[in-house]
Amino acid sequence: MTKILIVEARFYDNIADHLLKGAKARLDEADVAYDVVTVPGALEIPAVIKFAKDKYDGFVALGCVIRGETYHFEVVSNESARGLVDLSITYDLAIGNGILTVENEEQAMIRAKKWDKGGFAANACLELLAVKEGLATRYPVLRSAEDGR
């Protein structure tokens, strides 16, 4: 059975509640097993995914970064996204990115609740897993140019 790890940053609890609710609902709908790990903020999400990369089939990253008065917004937004992309490419991981990067709490609530970005991230993870599985099934033995075949 497919097993997913949801890694959620709870810096903004009210937003995190909606993101997590959406992700769980989508995974329940797909009849997929999952665990949830909570971290303080979005920068910690990639590290936890790396720690767990051999124990789960896919990952859902949930969090929210709201622009403030300092450069910190750019650092957290860019580095958390870069970390997720690096992990997915380096380790062939299926990661649904549900880390919101917004100007204010109102935008975050619209995306978390009305637009169900938690469910969207869970669905992205499931779709990546399907593509990965489809490639493995269609091309069970991938050959490289180095193999000379």
Side-chain angles (χ1 to χ4, degrees):
M1 176 178 224
T2 300
K3 192 158 186 185
I4 305 295
L5 179 64
I6 300 171
V7 184
E8 63 154 354
R10 301 235 18 124
F11 195 83
Y12 300 101
D13 284 333
N14 56 338
I15 297 162
D17 288 342
H18 292 293
L19 291 170
L20 184 59
K21 180 180 176 183
K24 285 180 168 183
R26 178 62 188 105
L27 296 176
D28 287 340
E29 178 184 298
D31 197 28
V32 173
Y34 59 86
D35 292 323
V36 179
V37 172
T38 301
V39 296
L43 281 176
E44 291 77 32
I45 293 172
V48 172
I49 291 174
K50 185 168 189 259
F51 300 156
K53 69 180 176 55
D54 297 326
K55 296 176 176 58
Y56 293 88
D57 300 300
F59 302 88
V60 178
L62 302 176
C64 180
V65 186
I66 298 176
R67 185 180 300 278
E69 297 175 1
T70 68
Y71 182 68
H72 187 68
F73 171 84
E74 283 81 7
V75 171
V76 176
S77 298
N78 293 336
E79 293 304 311
S80 60
R82 183 197 53 79
L84 295 178
V85 170
D86 286 353
L87 286 167
S88 67
I89 293 169
T90 302
Y91 299 106
D92 301 325
L93 301 179
I95 302 173
N97 184 352
I99 300 174
L100 306 178
T101 53
V102 296
E103 297 293 325
N104 53 55
E105 192 169 340
E106 180 184 358
Q107 287 179 351
M109 286 303 282
I110 290 169
R111 284 157 180 77
K113 191 173 180 181
K114 183 178 178 184
W115 294 357
D116 188 22
K117 289 298 185 174
F120 180 85
N123 197 62
C125 174
L126 295 173
E127 288 187 18
L128 284 169
L129 285 172
V131 168
K132 186 176 177 180
E133 178 63 29
L135 289 172
T137 302
R138 179 173 275 183
Y139 306 102
V141 179
L142 294 176
R143 296 183 179 106
S144 70
E146 296 168 0
D147 292 338
R149 298 182 235 170

